[in-house]
Amino acid sequence: PLSKLFVDEIQPKTTGGIVSIPSQVSFNAHRNGGGDISSGVFIFTSTTVNIGNGFNTTTGKFTAPVSGTYFFNTTCLTTSNNGANDLQIRVDDTNVAQARQNASSSVHNSISVTVIATLTANQVVHVHVSGGGGLYGGTGLYSTFCGYLIGATV
């Protein structure tokens, strides 16, 4: 048999009169110059959002401040080339998602990769370029990397 729960009133959990909210973590980064890259870590040098301070613009890597399930997306512009360009999202240097763009003529194209990953605190996530003609590293918002905490692990 099923039980029923009746509640007359729900009170928010507060600390000193302030309603507590769960951990909030999010970032939105882009590359702001530094040249094209054909292999290795794609370093996003600027952020417009960095709640929780998990994203490092020097290394281009995100370190999870809390354990939980995260959403990540990157979209990058290729250099004007006709090669196969590979883009990956890596967790602790292990590839967890990737995409390939293979152009038949020398033009700029965009490549996107999206993944939902369960992380423990202090795991590191970054965008990795492997092979191909490379990705554009100039100014503008042509190449971005973002992520946010969907829900913390209890």
Side-chain angles (χ1 to χ4, degrees):
L2 297 175
S3 343
K4 293 182 181 179
L5 174 65
F6 297 95
V7 178
D8 291 326
E9 185 177 346
I10 296 176
Q11 293 288 325
K13 183 177 179 181
T14 63
T15 304
I18 299 172
V19 176
S20 300
I21 57 173
S23 297
Q24 293 186 10
V25 178
S26 61
F27 71 92
N28 187 47
H30 63 277
R31 188 163 174 104
N32 196 17
D36 300 342
I37 181 168
S38 59
S39 67
V41 177
F42 193 93
I43 299 175
F44 297 87
T45 56
S46 298
T47 58
T48 55
V49 173
N50 195 8
I51 298 170
N53 296 313
F55 192 83
N56 183 316
T57 56
T58 302
T59 64
K61 297 180 179 184
F62 169 78
T63 302
V66 296
S67 297
T69 302
Y70 288 81
F71 169 92
F72 297 100
N73 175 268
T74 185
T75 300
C76 295
L77 183 69
T78 67
T79 59
S80 183
N81 69 76
N82 61 353
N85 298 281
D86 292 324
L87 184 64
Q88 303 170 341
I89 294 178
R90 292 185 173 187
V91 175
D92 291 336
D93 291 318
T94 298
N95 182 18
V96 295
Q98 69 181 26
R100 171 176 278 190
Q101 174 277 325
N102 196 358
S104 59
S105 61
S106 292
V107 295
H108 289 286
N109 288 287
S110 290
I111 308 173
S112 293
V113 181
T114 300
V115 68
I116 294 175
T118 300
L119 306 176
T120 56
N122 298 313
Q123 281 194 288
V124 178
V125 181
H126 74 274
V127 174
H128 187 85
V129 182
S130 62
L135 298 179
Y136 178 73
T139 59
L141 299 174
Y142 296 110
S143 296
T144 61
F145 180 33
C146 67
Y148 60 87
L149 175 66
I150 297 171
T153 304
V154 180

